[in-house]
Amino acid sequence: MARYRLRLLLQEFDLPRGTTLIGRSYDCHVTIEDPLVSRQHARIEVEGERVTVFDLGSRNGVKVNGGAIKGSVDLRHGDRVRIGTQELVFTRVEARPPEPSRTTGFLQHCHVCRMPYPREAGACPSCGTVVADEETQLEVKSESAWTFELQVQVLERALAMTRLEDAGRILTRAKAQLEESLARQETIDGKQLALLVVSALRTSFLSRDPHWALWSAEIYHRVSFVPSPEVLGWFQQLYGRYPELEAPILALVEHHRGRGVALSPDESSVLTRLETLTKKAPDDPFAQTHVGKLS
């Protein structure tokens, strides 16, 4: 008898006989942390050889192969189900003798549709584009790195919609993932960290809560990175609002000054501006800046 699955990036979920709920709630069988996903967004019914997806009155709807469904639609092998910003691929697996499992930890983007897929597949399952040679292979990421990037994308959407509770929850999860990477002594990507920290600083700006601003300064200290110019700009925006930032920013500057490591001109410039920031009494940028312009 055939089995049915949903694939999201490198994860696959078996669809048992009966009902599978998909949504943002942890009560669902498949939980998708995305502010564009409703708490109970969709359900999939498996009855015999028939598999049907239902839209549960979600705010942003369900799309199958790019088209919005009305009520429900039967799924066929290879159908792409879009829920929020996530795309799940429905597959039918015929019963066969077990094969040795292959483990993969790398994804690449299709240069045509930009969807991620396993590097060893050789062709994009979303649009069928075949990878001809190494030059057509774009950015390759580990699964954990791609998950991190997705979190940042969802976080940015939550901030754009001023859903600060969702933003805080996503940041907490991203922070936990970063802590795990540090505990395993994995290499931290400076560009990815900057994206996360900018979102954290925006969250502090919009919520008027210094928690994520303080964490941002502390995490740069822990990983021994000099903040990017964009992160510096946000520290400048928030410094006048939160006096608590002075101590961690000073600690960050002193840490880099005492390392004895050669810095690039840009890094030296950022540290000098951070140092200057702590030596003057800044004005409160919130009194003169409209939140909408920065969000």
Side-chain angles (χ1 to χ4, degrees), residues 162-183:
T162 324
R163 298 178 65 162
L164 301 181
E165 184 177 343
D166 286 335
R169 184 158 44 86
I170 298 166
L171 276 170
T172 299
R173 179 166 292 187
K175 175 185 174 182
Q177 181 182 330
L178 183 58
E179 292 290 346
E180 291 176 3
S181 295
L182 290 172

Side-chain angles (χ1 to χ4, degrees), residues 13-128:
F13 308 92
D14 284 316
L15 293 173
R17 305 290 162 177
T19 299
T20 298
L21 284 176
I22 303 173
R24 200 174 73 247
S25 171
Y26 290 106
D27 295 330
C28 293
H29 300 99
V30 178
T31 301
I32 300 177
E33 189 161 340
D34 182 335
L36 299 183
V37 174
S38 300
R39 291 184 60 79
Q40 290 192 355
H41 198 105
R43 80 172 188 269
I44 293 179
E45 297 279 356
V46 179
E47 296 182 0
E49 297 296 309
R50 184 178 183 184
V51 182
T52 308
V53 59
F54 296 81
D55 182 0
L56 298 180
S58 61
R59 179 183 301 178
N60 295 298
V62 176
K63 292 183 178 181
V64 175
N65 298 326
I69 71 171
K70 295 182 179 180
S72 65
V73 67
D74 289 346
L75 294 176
R76 297 176 297 177
H77 176 74
D79 280 348
R80 294 172 289 113
V81 181
R82 171 75 67 167
I83 295 178
T85 61
Q86 311 305 313
E87 188 165 76
L88 302 95
V89 180
F90 171 74
T91 58
R92 173 189 172 103
V93 182
E94 298 295 341
R96 65 179 62 180
E99 297 178 356
S101 60
R102 292 187 303 169
T103 301
T104 178
F106 296 94
L107 295 174
Q108 66 189 24
H109 289 96
C110 173
H111 68 282
V112 175
C113 69
R114 295 298 298 164
M115 291 299 297
Y117 65 95
R119 179 173 58 183
E120 70 275 7
C124 174
S126 298
C127 68

Side-chain angles (χ1 to χ4, degrees), residues 5-292:
R5 290 180 175 178
L6 284 179
R7 185 173 70 246
L8 175 61
L9 299 180
L10 291 182
Q11 301 182 61
E12 287 194 352
F13 308 92
D14 284 316
L15 293 173
R17 305 290 162 177
T19 299
T20 298
L21 284 176
I22 303 173
R24 200 174 73 247
S25 171
Y26 290 106
D27 295 330
C28 293
H29 300 99
V30 178
T31 301
I32 300 177
E33 189 161 340
D34 182 335
L36 299 183
V37 174
S38 300
R39 291 184 60 79
Q40 290 192 355
H41 198 105
R43 80 172 188 269
I44 293 179
E45 297 279 356
V46 179
E47 296 182 0
E49 297 296 309
R50 184 178 183 184
V51 182
T52 308
V53 59
F54 296 81
D55 182 0
L56 298 180
S58 61
R59 179 183 301 178
N60 295 298
V62 176
K63 292 183 178 181
V64 175
N65 298 326
I69 71 171
K70 295 182 179 180
S72 65
V73 67
D74 289 346
L75 294 176
R76 297 176 297 177
H77 176 74
D79 280 348
R80 294 172 289 113
V81 181
R82 171 75 67 167
I83 295 178
T85 61
Q86 311 305 313
E87 188 165 76
L88 302 95
V89 180
F90 171 74
T91 58
R92 173 189 172 103
V93 182
E94 298 295 341
R96 65 179 62 180
E99 297 178 356
S101 60
R102 292 187 303 169
T103 301
T104 178
F106 296 94
L107 295 174
Q108 66 189 24
H109 289 96
C110 173
H111 68 282
V112 175
C113 69
R114 295 298 298 164
M115 291 299 297
Y117 65 95
R119 179 173 58 183
E120 70 275 7
C124 174
S126 298
C127 68
T129 300
V130 176
V131 177
D133 51 46
E134 291 296 324
E135 292 182 356
T136 63
Q137 295 185 11
L138 301 183
E139 182 179 11
V140 177
K141 299 178 181 292
S142 69
E143 181 180 359
S144 60
W146 180 251
T147 301
F148 184 89
E149 185 173 301
L150 282 178
Q151 286 176 329
V152 172
Q153 292 175 359
V154 175
L155 179 56
E156 289 175 348
R157 291 186 176 90
L159 291 173
M161 300 168 67
T162 324
R163 298 178 65 162
L164 301 181
E165 184 177 343
D166 286 335
R169 184 158 44 86
I170 298 166
L171 276 170
T172 299
R173 179 166 292 187
K175 175 185 174 182
Q177 181 182 330
L178 183 58
E179 292 290 346
E180 291 176 3
S181 295
L182 290 172
R184 292 193 296 264
Q185 298 184 334
E186 294 179 352
T187 301
I188 305 300
D189 186 285
K191 292 182 179 179
Q192 285 194 334
L193 180 64
L195 290 173
L196 177 63
V197 167
V198 166
S199 295
L201 293 169
R202 288 179 61 199
T203 301
S204 272
F205 181 93
L206 292 170
S207 64
R208 292 179 173 262
D209 184 336
H211 173 76
W212 290 110
L214 294 171
W215 173 81
S216 298
E218 291 165 359
I219 196 63
Y220 265 103
H221 188 166
R222 287 182 58 191
V223 300
S224 293
F225 286 173
V226 176
S228 68
E230 187 176 8
V231 171
L232 167 66
W234 276 101
F235 278 141
Q236 291 172 322
Q237 287 286 341
L238 294 173
Y239 184 76
R241 182 68 178 182
Y242 305 129
E244 306 98 309
L245 268 177
E246 180 176 4
I249 287 179
L250 273 174
L252 174 62
V253 173
E254 292 172 358
H255 170 73
H256 284 290
R257 296 296 190 205
R259 290 177 65 204
V261 176
L263 300 174
S264 70
D266 288 342
E267 290 175 328
S268 296
S269 175
V270 167
L271 287 180
T272 298
R273 293 172 70 182
L274 283 174
E275 199 169 27
T276 302
L277 185 66
T278 62
K279 291 181 179 179
K280 65 179 181 179
D283 297 326
D284 182 355
F286 284 78
Q288 300 177 356
T289 306
H290 191 274
V291 171

